[in-house]
Amino acid sequence: MRRFLLPLILLALLLPAVAQAACADLVYKQFDFWLGDWNVTDAAGKLIGRDNVAHAFGGCVVQEQWTSVDGGTGGSFTMYDVSRKLWHQTWVDSSGTLVVLEGGLKDGRMLLTGQQVDRDGKPKQTRMSWSQEDGKVRQIWEASADGGKTWKTIFEAVYSRAN
């Protein structure tokens, strides 16, 4: 029994380092510009909520926790899927919304797209983009009901660091 104890102790000590090394590649840092505590305003500059975005699970996941000024809450888990070489995000919120997106960096912004079913059961394409602008982050959420021929902005926000 004693001869198995030392290897188990060593394994327990090394596992955290191995887990962190698993996501140490620079590709896992592509969305780090979104990390932080944020005051979120609409396009007109009115405060609409607060967002906390941080690394989770050994730095492998970007975890978001959203609270709107009217009390709604939501959050997302975003991670780089190394097996498929793309970013994946799952968003859920207190209104029952589920959004699943995938994509990556394109033209200096994080662009994720996916399918969403609205409350009437109608499918629509959806896409979100995040870009850095003067120390802030701009997020645009768009939807298309015609297969991507036209897009309508359904959410536009500017993230400013909360201090």
Side-chain angles (χ1 to χ4, degrees):
M1 180 70 171
R2 288 180 101 198
R3 67 182 167 147
F4 295 110
L5 192 56
L6 182 59
L8 286 175
I9 291 171
L10 287 173
L11 183 61
L13 291 172
L14 291 175
L15 276 179
V18 171
Q20 287 189 3
C23 300
D25 191 285
L26 286 179
V27 71
Y28 289 93
K29 307 289 184 212
Q30 291 177 338
F31 216 171
D32 280 6
F33 66 87
W34 192 33
L35 298 176
D37 287 312
W38 303 96
N39 292 321
V40 184
T41 58
D42 64 15
K46 179 182 174 190
L47 183 69
I48 57 174
R50 302 202 190 298
D51 212 10
N52 174 270
V53 183
H55 277 140
F57 306 109
C60 293
V61 174
V62 174
Q63 182 177 3
E64 173 189 18
Q65 295 179 334
W66 163 260
T67 303
S68 70
V69 293
D70 64 7
T73 58
S76 66
F77 288 99
T78 308
M79 69 169 291
Y80 184 74
D81 182 348
V82 69
S83 68
R84 296 183 300 143
K85 309 253 187 282
L86 55 78
W87 281 87
H88 172 91
Q89 182 180 86
T90 299
W91 162 270
V92 294
D93 66 28
S94 58
S95 72
T97 301
L98 168 67
V99 182
V100 178
L101 304 165
E102 295 185 323
L105 277 180
K106 183 174 182 173
D107 300 325
R109 65 187 177 139
M110 184 61 72
L111 179 63
L112 305 178
T113 61
Q115 292 285 335
Q116 184 179 359
V117 178
D118 66 21
R119 294 199 180 275
D120 299 325
K122 296 178 185 170
K124 62 182 175 184
Q125 284 187 285
T126 188
R127 68 183 177 195
M128 289 189 205
S129 65
W130 295 259
S131 58
Q132 297 180 72
E133 298 177 9
D134 301 323
K136 300 177 180 183
V137 173
R138 178 175 300 279
Q139 179 184 9
I140 300 173
W141 181 3
E142 301 169 289
S144 175
D146 59 10
K149 293 176 187 167
T150 60
W151 292 90
K152 178 182 176 187
T153 299
I154 56 177
F155 180 80
E156 184 173 355
V158 176
Y159 291 67
S160 300
R161 297 220 179 258
N163 292 330

